[in-house]
Amino acid sequence: MNRATSLIRRVRLITHTDPTLVANYLPFPIFAPAWTPAPPLTSHHARFLATKQGKGHSKVQKVKPKQDKQEVEIKQKMTVSALAQAMNKDFDHVFEALLNTSVDLDSLEPHSVLEEQWIKEVVKRSGMKFKWAKLVESKERENKDTQRRDPPDPAVLVSRPPVVTIMGHVDHGKTTLLDSLRKSQVAAGEAGGITQHIGAFLVQLPSGEKITFLDTPGHAAFSAMRARGALATDIVILVVAADDGVMKQTIESILHAKKAQVPIIVAVNKCDKHQADPARVKQELLSHDVVCEEYGGEVQAIHVSALKGNNLLELAEATVTLAEVMELKGDPTGLVEGTIIESRSDKGKGPVTTAIVQRGTLKKGCTLVAGKTWAKVRFLFDENNCTVKEAGPSTAVEIVGWKELPSAGEEILEVESEKRAREVVDWRCYQEEQDKLKEDMQAIEVKQREHQESYKKEREPLAHLSWRQRKSALYKANKKLMAMRPSEKLESQELSLPLIVKGDVDGSVEAILNILESYDAHHQCQMEVVHFGIGDVSENDLNLAETFSGTIYGFNVGVNKSIQQMATKKGIILKMHKVIYKLIDDLKDELSSKLPPSVKENVIGVCASVLAMFDVTVGKKKVPVAGCRVQKGQLDRKMKFRLVRGRDIIWEGSLTALKHHKDDVQMVKTGMECGLSVDQDIEFRPGDEVVCYEETETRQTISWDPGF
């Protein structure tokens, strides 16, 4: 028993594990040792035993009854938390049981999935026995999703207004053109003079025809919005400035239109300017397969001036004519189908979406499904914020009544009841979970294979060692790995920028996140979006910013006074912007401010060589002095110095004395001789070179280029 107790103590010291695990490491049982023949007794031992027996003090050792091991139900692909729960233990117990195995304990989390061999190993080391859980045949879940209806009967189709998307490069006059068509002043109210959302408007021409216009942003940041606009439209009006020509976003808009297989009408804008050259614009479009009618193509090109209103009626008539040729019709009957163009969170209305109705007639009380949320329509609003009773095909309308905010670009489908809507949403959530689970399992299997390979490679050099020697070598290696210098820890904390992003609508947040995904300067400063959302800055955002020491960037959102005061009290930086490129510029400046300054060395003076060496007695100490002649520039005692011998730097530091003849001087110029002593005990040699230099710090700039 003494030997067993000693071994238990040694194992505890080595593994620091639960005593129930220790017994499994012992080479023999503790409480029921196997009988072994006793060694021959000497006469002394025999007399002692006889005396004891004679006195009737013999003790009969009680053998403890064998305890039944606890039985644990296991199954394939158990998580750590599920296994711990089955064993009535905690996470730490499973962690300890996996010590000294090839499992990557650093990445072990409660939700980590364990392989079968490690599930069994944990149970075995815990002094328990396992049994496989009974397999229950799970029925395949019935698909409860909803789909678009079959193509409608031509007999029910009626004419509908065309949906026209105005696209083009930033500042080419898209919104001004739309203003002139609808006689409004939208452009005057836009931040920075650029469109940053998709605007949806119904315009009625003097002739009575109606056109639904979508105004998409031209800025480079809003590529996804332009793509959505192209997919939800019948005709694209491509606005190109006559004085600027085809630009980057013009080309991108052409590609979006071609991908969506939508016909294009070119509006050559700003033709009233002196430097306007419409012919050059049409020639530039040829290189992108947009052939205007003047060059034998089918694309109409209208010369307009959105600011002065020239030829706008001709542009509208060209649009109506093309729509008539296309014979656009819609089905106003049956369940509603549509597409979400934009979504936002409104204080009074809650989640609000701007949508284009594509089929059916949307009315108050309809039950809609979009993505993983649903709505019971409470109100419908037009572009002037006036309530409408219904919206037919090709109508742009704001929908109020969503349970949660759906994403822009989602498909809207009407269902029969709220119960059916919940079924659809539940099914979609379930399907997403299953897809995510498959992806996670694949990632886990890949990571486990990689870990197994690295584990084998790490232990190959230690294969010839005993287990004690192996333990010692691994402990020393881990100690070196974990011993990070304090300066490195501090630097890694300083060179990081956690972000909280808030936007007014879903598309704005999407555009900002798309830009942030292009960040490629992690080697300079780490940047991570810890949270993003729609709506004004809230107390929860402040708590997150405080937890992660982050900065809150808001786009077209508000901050009430109490939140501002709380942020000031907690030292949280709030950066609110209304123009997206100014937000990105501000972010780049903040990232640059995190970088340490770059140090630039500027050589002030050079001594060609040390001419003589001698010692000077200062008190009781002899100080080596180098006699030099300044070959270039000047030597300034306040600056830093370097002693170069051949190609090697022998010393860097400061001077303790600089003399010209016998006088202490501050500076020695070109051609003058001097004697100098340094702040260390250095042995000068003939031919050594002394360099005087200064270090200047310059602010570093982040290398990230978001593309605009």
Side-chain angles (χ1 to χ4, degrees):
M1 290 297 289
N2 290 336
R3 182 179 168 220
T5 307
S6 173
L7 188 53
I8 288 172
R9 288 174 181 164
R10 289 202 319 233
V11 172
R12 282 181 180 170
L13 289 172
I14 292 169
T15 61
H16 303 283
T17 57
D18 194 326
T20 52
L21 299 173
V22 173
N24 297 284
Y25 291 95
L26 300 181
F28 54 87
I30 300 172
F31 301 108
W35 179 87
T36 54
L41 298 176
T42 62
S43 57
H44 174 73
H45 289 129
R47 285 197 301 273
F48 175 77
L49 291 173
T51 306
K52 290 286 184 181
Q53 288 175 359
K55 292 183 179 179
H57 293 289
S58 63
K59 294 182 180 179
V60 179
Q61 185 177 1
K62 293 182 179 179
V63 179
K64 291 186 178 180
K66 187 177 180 180
Q67 296 180 346
D68 291 335
K69 290 182 179 180
Q70 181 182 336
E71 210 168 42
V72 180
E73 270 196 0
I74 65 171
K75 55 186 178 181
Q76 294 280 356
K77 298 179 182 178
M78 287 184 81
T79 62
V80 176
S81 58
L83 180 57
Q85 186 177 0
M87 297 168 60
N88 291 325
K89 299 288 184 181
D90 56 10
F91 170 77
D92 291 335
H93 178 90
V94 179
F95 185 91
E96 290 170 356
L98 290 170
L99 286 170
N100 307 320
T101 66
S102 61
V103 176
D104 184 9
L105 298 179
D106 293 333
S107 62
L108 200 66
E109 299 291 340
H111 56 77
S112 300
V113 179
L114 294 172
E115 292 181 10
E116 179 186 329
Q117 67 176 107
W118 303 124
I119 296 171
K120 293 178 179 178
E121 186 69 16
V122 170
V123 175
K124 182 181 174 183
R125 289 189 173 192
S126 302
M128 304 176 187
K129 60 182 180 179
F130 64 85
K131 70 173 183 178
W132 288 100
K134 292 181 180 178
L135 294 176
V136 179
E137 291 185 6
S138 56
K139 294 182 180 178
E140 188 174 345
R141 191 164 174 176
E142 184 183 353
N143 188 337
K144 295 284 187 177
D145 205 356
T146 185
Q147 304 292 336
R148 282 182 177 267
R149 291 182 286 154
D150 294 332
D153 184 354
V156 300
L157 296 179
V158 296
S159 297
R160 63 173 179 84
V163 178
V164 179
T165 300
I166 297 181
M167 303 178 78
H169 193 70
V170 63
D171 201 30
H172 274 201
K174 300 182 299 298
T175 306
T176 307
L177 174 63
L178 193 58
D179 292 343
S180 300
L181 288 169
R182 63 194 291 263
K183 306 298 181 185
S184 67
Q185 292 297 318
V186 175
E190 287 181 350
I194 63 172
T195 304
Q196 302 182 106
H197 306 102
I198 289 181
F201 313 99
L202 183 65
V203 175
Q204 186 164 3
L205 302 179
S207 56
E209 289 92 349
K210 292 181 179 180
I211 304 174
T212 299
F213 280 102
L214 301 182
D215 181 19
T216 65
H219 196 273
F222 297 98
S223 176
M225 285 191 186
R226 288 192 292 277
R228 279 199 297 276
L231 289 171
T233 192
D234 300 312
I235 300 169
V236 166
I237 293 181
L238 183 67
V239 180
V240 188
D243 61 336
D244 205 7
V246 175
M247 302 296 286
K248 186 177 179 180
Q249 272 68 59
T250 312
I251 299 168
E252 187 192 290
S253 299
I254 293 171
L255 294 175
H256 284 316
K258 287 184 176 181
K259 186 177 179 181
Q261 297 181 348
V262 177
I264 295 174
I265 297 175
V266 177
V268 184
N269 194 21
K270 302 185 182 182
C271 287
D272 55 313
K273 288 192 172 184
H274 295 295
Q275 61 270 38
D277 189 356
R280 179 174 67 92
V281 171
K282 296 173 188 176
Q283 288 175 354
E284 289 177 352
L285 289 171
L286 285 172
S287 60
H288 302 286
D289 294 330
V290 178
V291 184
C292 299
E293 290 176 337
E294 290 89 332
Y295 294 96
E298 297 181 353
V299 177
Q300 301 178 76
I302 315 296
H303 299 180
V304 300
S305 172
L307 195 62
K308 294 187 177 180
N310 299 340
N311 284 350
L312 294 185
L313 186 58
E314 185 181 345
L315 177 64
E317 287 175 352
T319 305
V320 171
T321 303
L322 182 59
E324 288 175 353
V325 171
M326 296 172 68
E327 297 183 350
L328 299 174
K329 295 183 180 295
D331 176 12
T333 63
L335 298 176
V336 174
E337 296 173 6
T339 300
I340 294 176
I341 300 299
E342 194 55 274
S343 59
R344 62 186 172 88
S345 184
D346 188 276
K347 279 186 178 179
K349 301 175 183 175
V352 180
T353 61
T354 302
I356 294 287
V357 179
Q358 295 169 325
R359 190 174 179 184
T361 302
L362 182 60
K363 300 177 182 178
K364 182 180 176 180
C366 288
T367 305
L368 308 177
V369 174
K372 298 190 293 298
T373 185
W374 63 281
K376 184 81 170 178
V377 179
R378 290 165 44 213
F379 298 103
L380 298 174
F381 294 93
D382 62 12
E383 69 273 12
N384 299 314
N385 206 28
C386 299
T387 57
V388 293
K389 292 183 179 179
E390 60 181 35
S394 296
T395 307
V397 67
E398 279 193 353
I399 303 170
V400 178
W402 295 97
K403 302 303 175 184
E404 294 177 7
L405 194 65
S407 298
E410 293 281 7
E411 182 182 64
I412 293 177
L413 296 174
E414 185 184 0
V415 292
E416 299 80 5
S417 63
E418 293 183 22
K419 181 182 177 182
R420 178 76 180 105
R422 291 191 188 95
E423 286 179 353
V424 173
V425 171
D426 288 345
W427 166 258
R428 291 180 177 180
C429 292
Y430 167 77
Q431 197 65 35
E432 186 181 55
E433 287 173 4
Q434 294 301 308
D435 294 341
K436 188 175 182 302
L437 184 61
K438 288 178 183 177
E439 291 176 6
D440 290 346
M441 289 304 301
Q442 290 172 356
I444 288 168
E445 288 172 2
V446 170
K447 191 171 183 180
Q448 284 176 342
R449 282 197 300 271
E450 290 175 353
H451 177 67
Q452 288 284 353
E453 290 171 4
S454 63
Y455 179 82
K456 289 176 182 177
K457 287 180 181 178
E458 285 176 8
R459 278 150 180 77
E460 275 176 5
L462 309 176
H464 65 284
L465 301 176
S466 67
W467 71 272
R468 287 182 186 279
Q469 292 171 327
R470 203 159 43 242
K471 267 290 206 183
S472 177
L474 290 172
Y475 173 75
K476 289 176 182 177
N478 288 334
K479 192 174 181 182
K480 286 180 182 177
L481 189 65
M482 297 300 291
M484 182 190 287
R485 293 194 302 273
S487 61
E488 289 178 354
K489 289 183 180 178
L490 184 62
E491 185 180 354
S492 65
Q493 290 173 359
E494 288 177 350
L495 300 183
S496 64
L497 179 60
L499 297 179
I500 290 91
V501 178
K502 297 302 290 288
D504 56 343
V505 296
D506 185 72
S508 299
V509 176
E510 179 189 24
I512 294 169
L513 294 180
N514 286 341
I515 296 169
L516 298 184
E517 280 182 5
S518 70
Y519 184 72
D520 55 359
H522 293 286
H523 60 285
Q524 290 182 292
C525 179
Q526 292 288 332
M527 183 183 72
E528 183 181 3
V529 179
V530 296
H531 175 68
F532 62 87
I534 299 167
D536 292 346
V537 178
S538 64
E539 188 175 345
N540 181 52
D541 299 324
L542 295 185
N543 293 335
L544 284 168
E546 184 181 25
T547 302
F548 291 98
S549 302
T551 303
I552 298 176
Y553 277 81
F555 181 72
N556 275 333
V557 295
V559 185
N560 62 45
K561 194 172 181 180
S562 63
I563 294 294
Q564 286 179 341
Q565 291 173 347
M566 195 181 300
T568 305
K569 186 177 179 181
K570 293 183 176 183
I572 296 168
I573 301 172
L574 300 176
K575 298 198 173 186
M576 303 294 113
H577 292 275
K578 291 186 178 297
V579 182
I580 195 163
Y581 64 80
K582 290 184 178 179
L583 183 149
I584 299 302
D585 288 343
D586 195 0
L587 175 59
K588 287 172 67 178
D589 288 340
E590 185 173 4
L591 287 164
S592 298
S593 68
K594 294 276 184 181
L595 303 179
S598 60
V599 179
K600 186 179 180 181
E601 186 179 295
N602 182 28
V603 176
I604 297 173
V606 179
C607 291
S609 62
V610 175
L611 303 177
M613 295 80 63
F614 50 90
D615 292 334
V616 176
T617 304
V618 179
K620 295 182 179 180
K621 186 179 179 183
K622 286 187 177 183
V623 178
V625 176
C628 309
R629 180 182 290 114
V630 181
Q631 186 74 18
K632 183 181 177 182
Q634 60 189 23
L635 304 187
D636 190 336
R637 185 175 173 179
K638 294 184 296 183
M639 300 301 171
K640 292 186 176 182
F641 286 78
R642 178 182 298 128
L643 181 65
V644 181
R645 183 174 298 155
R647 294 185 178 181
D648 299 327
I649 296 174
I650 306 301
W651 161 85
E652 285 184 338
S654 304
L655 299 184
T656 55
L658 179 63
K659 292 183 181 257
H660 179 59
H661 299 306
K662 292 186 178 181
D663 300 327
D664 284 321
V665 292
Q666 185 66 39
M667 187 181 297
V668 183
K669 296 184 178 180
T670 304
M672 297 174 63
E673 293 183 350
C674 65
L676 54 86
S677 57
V678 300
D679 56 4
Q680 291 183 20
D681 189 10
I682 299 295
E683 181 184 351
F684 294 99
R685 293 180 186 176
D688 287 350
E689 187 181 75
V690 178
V691 179
C692 176
Y693 65 95
E694 66 174 345
E695 291 179 344
T696 55
E697 291 185 349
T698 56
R699 184 174 181 264
Q700 284 196 72
T701 305
I702 201 76
S703 62
W704 173 44
D705 181 13
F708 56 86

